[in-house]
Each structure stands twice: as C-alpha cells, then as structure tokens.
Amino acid sequence: MQDSQIIRTEYSEVMKKSYIDYAMSVIIARALPDVRDGLKPVQRRTLYDMHELGIRYDRPYRKCARIVGDTMGKYHPHGDSSIYEALVVMAQDFKKGMILVDGHGNFGSIEGDGAAAMRYTEARLAKLTQDVYLADLDKDIINFLPNFDETEKEPEVLPVRVPNLLVNGAEGIAVGMATSIPTHNLCEVIDAVKAYMKNDEISTKQLMRYIKGPDFPTGGIVVNKDDLLSIYESGTGKIKIRGKVEVEEMKGGKKRLVISEIPYTMIGAGIGKFLNDVCSLVESKKTSDIVDISNMSSKEGIRIVIELKRGADAENLTNMLYKKTRLEDTFGVNMLAVAGGRPETMGLKKIIEHHVDFQFELATRKYKTLLGKEQDKKEIQEGLIKACDVIDLIIEILRGSRSVKDAKACLTEGNTENIKFKSSISKKMAAMLRFTERQAQAILDMRLYKLIGLEIEALMKEHEETLKNISRYEDILNHYDSMADVIIADLDRIKKEYGRKRRTAVENAAEAVFEEKKLEEQEIVFLMDRFGYAKTVDTAVYERNKEAADSENKYILSCMNTGRLCVFTDTGRMHQIKMQDIPFGKFRDKGLPIDNVSNYDSAKEQIVYLCDSEQLRFAKLFFATKLGMIKKVEGTEFQVAKRTIAATKLSEDDAVAAVDVIADNMQIVLRSAEGYFLKFPASEVPEKKKGAVGVRGMKLRKRDRLAQAYLFEEGSEYKVVSGDNEIALGRLKTGKRDGSGTKPRG
C-alpha cells in the first residue's frame, strides 16, 4: 500500500480558490466573447467544426444533429443544447446583424417560437462566414490549442476580418458580470476601422461620424442620440429604443396605427405581451379610442394593426403606447469582453483598437507564410533555370550515377567519385556544381517535357512573378502603410459585397407625453359573489336589481368610481384595488376574480372586511384576532399608496377574526367558538398603531378561539343564532373587557 500524505488547510481558503477557478472558467471559457473575433467559445467551435466538416456555403445543407454531435465530441463537451442554441441564434436574422449560419428548416420566429429539434433542421456556413471569418486558416495566421482530451486541435481565435463584436453584438451572463453589446451596421463599422487606421489619435466623437449608433436587425428608432457619446466612451449606459408607428387613413375618416418595426428587446414573448398590454389598456378604460388590434406579421416583416375610432387622437394614442407598453424600451449596454485573457469593459475606440491590432497580427503572420512559400519557389525555380543551361551535363551525371544518392551528392557538393563521365571536361564541370538540396531534388523530379522551349519560357515568367511577389510581401511586412493599404482594400471588398443599408434610425426624440382622459366621477356599487368574482355597476342598475343582487352577492358596497377598495384579510394584511381596475358593466356580467387585479391570494387568505378607502378618512377601525386580542386604529393610517400593507401585527398562530368601523358610543360583543359571549362598551378598547398587537379583549378557555365580534349601537335590536338558540345581543349583561364571558341560554 502506497503511503498517503494528508495536507491540512483552511476550508474557507479551499472554497475561495475553487470558486474563483470556477468563475474564471465560466467567464473566459464559456460566457464572454473574445474582443478579437467577437465570438464565445461555443460559437467559435461550432463554426470551425462546420468548416472542418466541409459544410461550406456552396455545398449541400447537413443535419444540425450531425454538426452538434461532432462539435460536442471534438471541441465543446458541455451538452448538446448549448451548442444547438448557439447554432440557432447564429442563423436568426432578427437577432444578428449579419447571420453566420445559413439555416434550412424551422429556426424559430421573431414572435418567440422556438426552433425545431436538431434532427429536423439543416444548416451550412453562410458565404460571409466562409469568406470573412474562416479564410486563410491554412496560412498559419492563428494559434491552435489542444482540445479538452488532447486528441484534436482547435483555434484559439478565428481570423475574423471585421469587428464582429460590434457587427453582431453579444449577450452573456457569467459569474458576477454580464455582457450586453448592441449590433451595428457593417458598412459604418468598416468606415470607422479605416478612419482609426489612418489616425489612431481619433476620438470617440470623431468615430461616431461613421458609426451613428446601434443598428438593430429589427429596425426601430433610437431616441436618445445625445446619450450615445457617453455610452460609447465608457462602454456602459442605456439606449432608449422605440418601435416605428405609422398612421394610415381608412374609409369613413377612420385611422389606424401600423407598427412595422419593434424595439430589439421585444423579440420573442415581448410581442405577445405588447398585444396583451394594449388589450389591458382598453379593458381598464385607460383609452376608449381603440376598436381592434390584430397581428398581421409574416415572413415579410412585422405588421401590428391597431384600428381607432373616428376622431381619435392618433398622436396622443401613439405616445400612450410608448409610455404604457414596451413599444418604447431600454437596452442596457455593457460592452464587456475578454481582452488579453481577462474580462474588460471597453469603449468603442478600445474595441476598434483591439481589432486593428489583431488585423495587423493576422496580416503579419499571413504574409510571412506567403513570403516563405514564394522564397521556396524562387529557390527551386532558380535551380531549374540553372539546370536548363547545363542540361546535357546533368543528363550525363544521371546516366553515369549508380544511385540517386550519388547523383544528388554530385549536384549539391560536386562529388564525382562514383559517377562515370564521358570526358574529363564534363567531370571538371560537374565538380563545380553547387545546387541546394531542394534544387537538386526538383531537378531529379523534373520531367523531360519541361525541356520544351515554351515550358522553359513559362518557367522564366513564373520566376519573374515570384520575384514580384517576394518584393511585394517584403514591402507589406516592412512598411506599416503598405500593410494598412492591404487591410483597407480587403475591408472595402467586404463592404462592397456584404454591406447593407442601416435599419435603425438614430435621433433625439421628445419624451412621450400623452394626456390621460380624466375619469368622470360617479357613484357606483361594488358587487362580489362568494366565488370572488367582482364587478361594479351603476347605482340605478343596482336599485333595479336589488333583490337579486343582495341574494347572489356576498359583498355589496356603495362607492365612487375614482376611489379604492380596501380588502382586509385574516393574515393581517390590507390590499388596495383601484375601482377603475374592476370591470364596470351590466348586472349579469360575470365580473373578474379579485385575485387578478390585486395581490390578494384566495388560496392562502380569507377576506374579513371590505370598505371604501374614503370611508377610513374619518373613521376608526376595530380589530379582533382569534386569540382574543383587540385594538382600534385611526383610519388615516390606512391611507397609503402601496397596493399591500401589514394592517396589524399578529403573534404566532394568530389570525384576524373581525374588522369593523368603531365609535365610542357602540357596544361590542365578542363571541368564542365554544359559544361564550362577552359584552362591553367600545370605549374600553384602547387606540393603538397598526403595527401593535393590541390588548386582550376576552379570556378564552383552553383550545377555545374567538369566532366573531359584533359592533352595534346601544338600544338597537341585534340578534344572532348560537346553536339552537337566538341570542339578542342588546339584552346581554354588560361586563368588562378581558372577562371570560358567559354562555347565554337564549
């Protein structure tokens, strides 16, 4: 058995180091893009794998399952879902400024539909990707690293010729940090790169002459143009974007609003939520100008149509949509990427600077490789040209040699010992030969047809071309301006072939302001049945249907339509509901569950008391709990703006049994679950704050609980049923607070 050594260390230190290692792994190797190629590892590996599989833009599509499986097996052992999701996003033209993958099949939609399973979809590289992202991989321009099990080599970074980080943007959540970079227009980005290469002292403001702002694939309008400079200088900030709304005239003098472009942040479920929000504005009476809304979007583009009433103010309604829905939204910018092996938040100029440095590095390695190949060609060509001049001697050497080794030794070193010559002159000439190793091998490999005159002439021309290339490559490598010209020429070619017009408008727009129509104040009646369905009706409607309304509804309350409903529950909370949020309509309308318009949860809470918020302004509320605690609270304490507050403090295992309006001239009767009654004057109830527990109102027997509290004026007839008996509460003997109570016989 081998001796084992126990290392003692602080547990917290081990955990700290392990977590830091894990966090850095997520940041560098998974979640954040590299500033050089603008790609996350999963994107880079997927594109490289497609390149290796030969799934080029001019070849047939291949099943995505094959691509995902091969990528996972060779380069990215983190599960197939992450690879397929990355592949899908790179094929979605509504998410990327320039798509990198040409998808065939269902790759999802702008409205949030997911892509089909990978076994059904097919893909291949886009022409742009093949031409701009993966070109020259055979010219030793990037480093290759071992994969996770060291059986394959994968690129450290792809030789991307444009600032992909800006063109396609990026989104990613790491540990303790996140990146969010908007997409930009390819032509503008290329122009900015060229401007930086011509003057590296250029400011961010000057760069923004070329890059106007983000260019989202969904179009829309950036409305805070003046904020963009600080965002691009710091790398962080908020961009306000709006959808594009046009007013179309209809027959009969009616108008309709047509939304043809949406904010980038509305991609997916945001469109469905927008439609629901517009419906909610109509249902809650925020506007009565909308007649109909329909989503006519198709593959051709977004088209959401909102039909308006005759005479409706289209501009005011458009501003309302900007203010009340996600038709105007915020895109949070945090231009975080991996630079030099560490995460860094960069401004626009810094990103372009990193990109240009990377391009010069790529160009240097590329032209060094090309120069080396041309110099090798030159060496061989010079050898063949020289050989043509002494071809008779070379043939004599070959015929007189006993082996290839002897012939090569003669050609490279002038060694004539093992070769038979026809004359001593030939031997002397052969002894002077000094071909290089490569030249000698090329001579030995040369075919006889190469001695034809035209072939020799072609060789001479090829040699001249090689010398020109060497001169050109040396000039590029030795002079900054020459290399810059080559990079700029390549950028111009990319811009001409792949550039397209800007889709997002950039402007300074005024804050969306709309005039909300003031609700005409009127008295209404609130009705709620025992199932929690609530509605409000006109007072006259209630009076006409009073008998049916009283029998069918559990709660009936007269109030103003501009007020608020206060709902007190057994959990000690008070929920507020705007009367405007409760549907107003016909008597036979079903209504809306009260849970839908408030924080009240019918599954966990029971309603103890309902009242109008205005009623509390000049009143005091009496509270009684299951454990017999009582108090009264000034009603103004419940005049708050919050939707939900704690109405009273409860001890453990306690709950609110009763809440009601109290006055000093009232009598109070507390009733326990076992049938004990205690009557005392309301003046004995102390006034407390809503955050207090209160005082004991009744001594309860073991396991007994307070069931109800009754408040009535002295002299009034108030009868309740207890068991088989009917109890007249006014005739009960008046006692003191904190008494045990009695069990009346009837």
Side-chain angles (χ1 to χ4, degrees):
M1 184 175 174
Q2 200 172 15
D3 291 339
S4 60
Q5 186 179 4
I6 298 173
I7 300 172
R8 296 188 179 276
T9 184
E10 184 66 34
Y11 181 72
S12 61
E13 288 298 318
V14 174
M15 289 299 293
K16 183 179 177 182
K17 183 180 182 304
S18 300
Y19 191 76
I20 289 172
D21 291 344
Y22 158 72
M24 287 305 295
S25 171
V26 172
I27 291 165
I28 304 298
R30 293 182 76 172
L32 300 184
D34 192 297
V35 70
R36 293 171 293 177
D37 62 4
L39 297 170
K40 296 181 189 179
V42 65
Q43 296 170 324
R44 185 180 306 119
R45 289 163 175 169
T46 304
L47 294 176
Y48 178 69
D49 185 75
M50 291 175 75
H51 173 76
E52 287 296 288
L53 289 173
I55 312 173
R56 316 286 171 90
Y57 71 92
D58 53 354
R59 296 185 186 176
Y61 295 96
R62 297 282 286 277
K63 284 286 184 187
C64 289
R66 169 67 195 277
I67 298 166
V68 170
D70 202 65
T71 304
M72 184 167 60
K74 287 181 180 177
Y75 310 116
H76 197 76
H78 299 295
D80 56 357
S81 61
S82 63
I83 300 169
Y84 186 51
E85 283 169 16
L87 180 68
V88 166
V89 169
M90 288 191 288
Q92 292 177 327
D93 58 3
F94 52 85
K95 281 192 178 176
K96 291 292 178 186
M98 305 293 289
I99 60 166
L100 305 181
V101 172
D102 179 7
H104 185 242
N106 177 12
F107 274 79
S109 77
I110 196 170
E111 295 186 40
D113 303 314
M118 67 180 85
R119 61 183 178 274
Y120 300 120
T121 54
E122 298 176 331
R124 65 185 176 191
L125 289 170
K127 188 174 187 294
L128 169 80
T129 314
Q130 194 67 49
D131 188 21
V132 181
Y133 287 63
L134 294 162
D136 298 329
L137 277 172
D138 57 338
K139 294 182 176 65
D140 188 35
I141 58 174
I142 53 167
N143 296 328
F144 281 80
L145 305 171
N147 70 337
F148 61 92
D149 60 0
E150 299 189 357
T151 57
E152 301 277 346
K153 293 281 187 181
E154 62 174 299
E156 178 189 20
V157 64
L158 290 185
V160 181
R161 305 293 175 83
V162 295
N164 181 56
L165 196 66
L166 293 173
V167 173
N168 274 329
E171 284 183 9
I173 300 172
V175 178
M177 58 184 69
T179 185
S180 179
I181 304 172
T183 57
H184 294 80
N185 184 271
L186 178 67
C187 297
E188 293 180 3
V189 170
I190 286 174
D191 289 342
V193 170
K194 286 161 59 180
Y196 175 83
M197 289 175 69
K198 291 171 183 175
N199 174 22
D200 59 7
E201 297 293 323
I202 193 170
S203 66
T204 303
K205 189 174 183 179
Q206 290 170 320
L207 282 172
M208 288 184 66
R209 292 177 188 170
Y210 306 96
I211 298 178
K212 310 297 181 190
D215 186 28
F216 296 105
T218 55
I221 306 163
V222 171
V223 295
N224 59 333
K225 183 179 179 181
D226 287 347
D227 296 338
L228 294 181
L229 178 59
S230 64
I231 291 171
Y232 282 132
E233 281 182 336
S234 65
T236 59
K238 291 181 179 179
I239 295 172
K240 282 186 180 179
I241 42 177
R242 287 179 182 172
K244 186 178 179 183
V245 183
E246 295 169 339
V247 180
E248 291 184 1
E249 299 289 340
M250 296 172 65
K251 291 179 181 178
K254 289 185 179 180
K255 295 178 182 177
R256 65 183 172 198
L257 301 179
V258 178
I259 299 164
S260 55
E261 295 174 10
I262 59 171
Y264 185 68
T265 51
M266 260 176 69
I267 291 173
I271 294 178
K273 187 177 185 309
F274 169 74
L275 298 173
N276 289 334
D277 288 346
V278 174
C279 292
S280 297
L281 290 173
V282 177
E283 287 174 2
S284 61
K285 310 294 181 186
K286 290 281 191 302
T287 179
S288 57
D289 291 337
I290 296 176
V291 175
D292 186 34
I293 180 169
S294 54
N295 187 3
M296 299 180 182
S297 304
S298 63
K299 288 182 179 179
E300 280 67 47
I302 293 291
R303 184 176 171 83
I304 299 170
V305 179
I306 301 172
E307 291 187 22
L308 309 181
K309 281 183 180 177
R310 188 183 285 105
D313 186 345
E315 185 181 348
N316 190 52
L317 193 61
T318 302
N319 285 338
M320 182 185 194
L321 294 177
Y322 285 146
K323 203 76 175 173
K324 296 287 186 181
T325 71
R326 289 186 66 185
L327 195 60
E328 178 177 301
D329 209 353
T330 301
F331 183 94
V333 177
N334 186 27
M335 299 205 285
L336 179 73
V338 176
R342 57 187 291 273
E344 184 181 343
T345 300
M346 291 167 278
L348 178 65
K349 184 180 175 181
K350 193 74 175 174
I351 290 173
I352 291 175
E353 183 183 325
H354 277 291
H355 170 75
V356 171
D357 290 346
F358 181 53
Q359 292 312 301
F360 274 92
E361 183 187 329
L362 292 178
T364 301
R365 292 182 63 163
K366 174 183 175 180
Y367 286 106
K368 276 184 178 178
T369 302
L370 291 174
L371 178 62
K373 287 181 179 179
E374 292 298 318
Q375 286 172 336
D376 290 346
K377 280 169 67 178
K378 175 193 169 192
E379 181 184 340
I380 291 168
Q381 287 165 355
E382 287 176 344
L384 292 175
I385 290 167
K386 184 179 174 183
C388 288
D389 291 339
V390 290
I391 192 65
D392 294 333
L393 176 62
I394 288 171
I395 291 171
E396 192 175 334
I397 291 169
L398 295 177
R399 293 185 70 180
S401 301
R402 302 180 69 179
S403 66
V404 173
K405 184 179 178 183
D406 293 340
K408 189 179 280 189
C410 181
L411 292 172
T412 57
E413 301 166 11
N415 190 343
T416 59
E417 288 180 9
N418 300 322
I419 299 173
K420 291 182 180 179
F421 290 93
K422 291 180 181 178
S423 66
S424 59
I425 295 172
S426 297
K427 189 172 183 179
K428 283 180 182 179
M429 289 177 67
M432 290 188 287
L433 295 176
R434 290 294 183 274
F435 288 102
T436 66
E437 187 75 25
R438 282 180 180 166
Q439 289 173 336
Q441 188 61 47
I443 291 166
L444 293 172
D445 292 340
M446 184 176 67
R447 297 188 178 186
L448 289 174
Y449 77 86
K450 289 286 185 182
L451 299 174
I452 298 170
L454 289 174
E455 288 293 324
I456 294 172
E457 194 176 320
L459 177 63
M460 297 295 287
K461 284 184 178 178
E462 190 180 332
H463 180 57
E464 286 177 18
E465 191 66 33
T466 301
L467 291 175
K468 284 181 185 176
N469 287 341
I470 290 172
S471 176
R472 179 168 169 262
Y473 296 157
E474 284 177 342
D475 178 55
I476 290 170
L477 288 168
N478 294 330
H479 299 93
Y480 174 90
D481 290 343
S482 299
M483 187 175 285
D485 289 342
V486 169
I487 294 171
I488 287 172
D490 196 35
L491 288 173
D492 286 336
R493 177 189 63 81
I494 293 167
K495 177 183 174 181
K496 184 178 179 181
E497 186 170 354
Y498 301 105
R500 61 182 172 197
K501 290 181 180 177
R502 161 173 279 280
R503 287 174 283 196
T504 301
V506 179
E507 60 186 50
N508 280 317
E511 183 78 19
V513 178
F514 74 98
E515 292 179 10
E516 208 165 345
K517 287 185 180 178
K518 289 186 178 180
L519 192 66
E520 191 177 333
E521 194 173 32
Q522 69 176 93
E523 191 174 349
I524 55 172
V525 178
F526 168 81
L527 304 172
M528 190 172 93
D529 63 21
R530 60 193 179 91
F531 300 109
Y533 280 82
K535 65 190 173 204
T536 57
V537 296
D538 191 84
T539 308
V541 172
Y542 170 71
E543 291 297 337
R544 284 199 303 271
N545 301 276
K546 190 174 188 308
E547 190 176 335
D550 292 349
S551 62
E552 294 172 9
N553 292 286
K554 187 175 180 181
Y555 297 100
I556 300 170
L557 185 68
S558 243
C559 51
M560 301 304 292
N561 61 345
T562 53
R564 293 169 182 249
L565 179 72
C566 297
V567 180
F568 293 86
T569 69
D570 61 343
T571 59
R573 299 201 294 173
M574 182 196 81
H575 304 288
Q576 285 198 106
I577 308 166
K578 288 181 180 178
M579 286 299 182
Q580 297 174 45
D581 293 341
I582 300 167
F584 177 83
K586 299 175 183 176
F587 177 70
R588 284 298 166 196
D589 287 348
K590 190 175 181 180
L592 192 74
I594 204 165
D595 305 48
N596 292 11
V597 289
S598 70
N599 295 332
Y600 168 69
D601 187 349
S602 58
K604 298 176 181 177
E605 301 176 273
Q606 296 295 321
I607 295 174
V608 177
Y609 183 65
L610 286 175
C611 68
D612 180 16
S613 62
E614 285 301 308
Q615 186 182 342
L616 298 176
R617 191 180 295 275
F618 306 106
K620 293 179 181 178
L621 279 187
F622 169 78
F623 285 83
T625 73
K626 300 280 187 185
L627 295 181
M629 306 304 289
I630 63 170
K631 67 175 179 181
K632 62 183 175 187
V633 181
E634 192 69 46
T636 51
E637 286 204 43
F638 303 102
Q639 300 276 311
V640 293
K642 290 183 179 178
R643 292 185 73 187
T644 300
I645 62 165
T648 186
K649 187 177 180 181
L650 295 171
S651 56
E652 195 176 348
D653 298 327
D654 202 359
V656 177
V659 178
D660 209 341
V661 173
I662 188 173
D664 286 343
N665 62 344
M666 287 183 168
Q667 294 289 313
I668 295 175
V669 175
L670 302 181
R671 173 185 174 182
S672 78
E674 293 183 1
Y676 287 89
F677 288 78
L678 175 64
K679 178 184 173 187
F680 56 90
S683 56
E684 292 189 18
V685 180
E687 186 171 323
K688 301 279 186 182
K689 294 290 183 183
K690 70 173 185 284
V693 175
V695 298
R696 190 165 65 181
M698 183 179 185
K699 288 179 184 173
L700 297 168
R701 287 150 183 80
K702 195 175 182 181
R703 295 180 185 170
D704 197 5
R705 290 289 182 268
L706 191 68
Q708 189 54 272
Y710 307 102
L711 281 74
F712 55 93
E713 292 182 7
E714 187 65 53
S716 62
E717 286 291 323
Y718 198 144
K719 294 181 180 180
V720 296
V721 176
S722 177
D724 297 330
N725 300 323
E726 188 177 65
I727 310 295
L729 299 182
R731 297 179 184 177
L732 290 174
K733 184 181 177 182
T734 302
K736 292 278 188 185
R737 178 184 65 77
D738 201 22
S740 299
T742 58
K743 219 178 213 184
R745 294 181 181 178

